[in-house]
Amino acid sequence: MVWRHIVGPLVALVATPIGLALVDYGAEKYLRNVYAFADSGWSAELLWLFGGGIFLTVAALSARLSGLGPVLAAIVWGLAPFLWFVSDAGSFYDFSQDLPSTHFWFGYAPVEFPLLGALLLGAGIAGRWRGRVVPA
C-alpha cells in the first residue's frame, strides 16, 4: 500500500520534466521551421512534441497509483517555475539559457508552466477520488 505512494510521485516527478523539455524543444523547432520556411506540414519536430506528450500522459496516469504524484509534479514543475518567472524573469531566462542546448528554452513560460500545473493538479485530484469497481 505504501509503495504506490512512493512509485506514483516518483514516476510523475521524473516523467514531467522530460515531457516538458521534449514539448518545449519540439514546439520551438517546429515554430522556427514554420517561420523560416513557411512550411507547416509534417516534420520531425512533431515527433518531439508527440514524445513529450507521451511522457506528460504517463505523469498524469501516475494518478492511478497515487493522486499525490501529479499534485507534487504540479507544484514542483508547474507552480515553482511559474512563481520564479513571475518574481524574477531575468534570472529565470538566464538560467534557462545555461541549459545544454542551442535553442531558446521555455519561450512560453507564462503559458506552459501554469497550464502544466493546472492539468497535473486536475489529474491528481481526479485520480484521488476515482471510483472503485466492485466485481459482480
Side-chain angles (χ1 to χ4, degrees), residues 2-48:
V2 172
W3 283 105
R4 68 184 181 97
H5 292 297
I6 295 171
V7 173
L10 186 63
V11 167
L13 288 171
V14 170
T16 300
I18 294 170
L20 182 61
L22 290 175
V23 166
D24 189 70
Y25 178 82
E28 193 276 331
K29 290 293 187 185
Y30 181 73
L31 288 176
R32 188 175 293 189
N33 187 26
V34 168
Y35 291 144
F37 304 112
D39 177 27
S40 61
W42 176 258
S43 64
E45 289 83 9
L46 293 176
L47 292 176
W48 290 102

Side-chain angles (χ1 to χ4, degrees), residues 84-110:
W84 181 14
F85 172 79
V86 169
S87 65
D88 189 9
S91 70
F92 176 84
Y93 281 121
D94 286 343
F95 171 77
S96 67
Q97 291 299 309
D98 291 337
L99 294 173
S101 181
T102 58
H103 62 86
F104 188 73
W105 284 85
F106 307 124
Y108 308 103

Side-chain angles (χ1 to χ4, degrees), residues 39-63:
D39 177 27
S40 61
W42 176 258
S43 64
E45 289 83 9
L46 293 176
L47 292 176
W48 290 102
L49 284 164
F50 184 72
I54 289 173
F55 274 95
L56 292 175
T57 300
V58 166
L61 287 175
S62 71

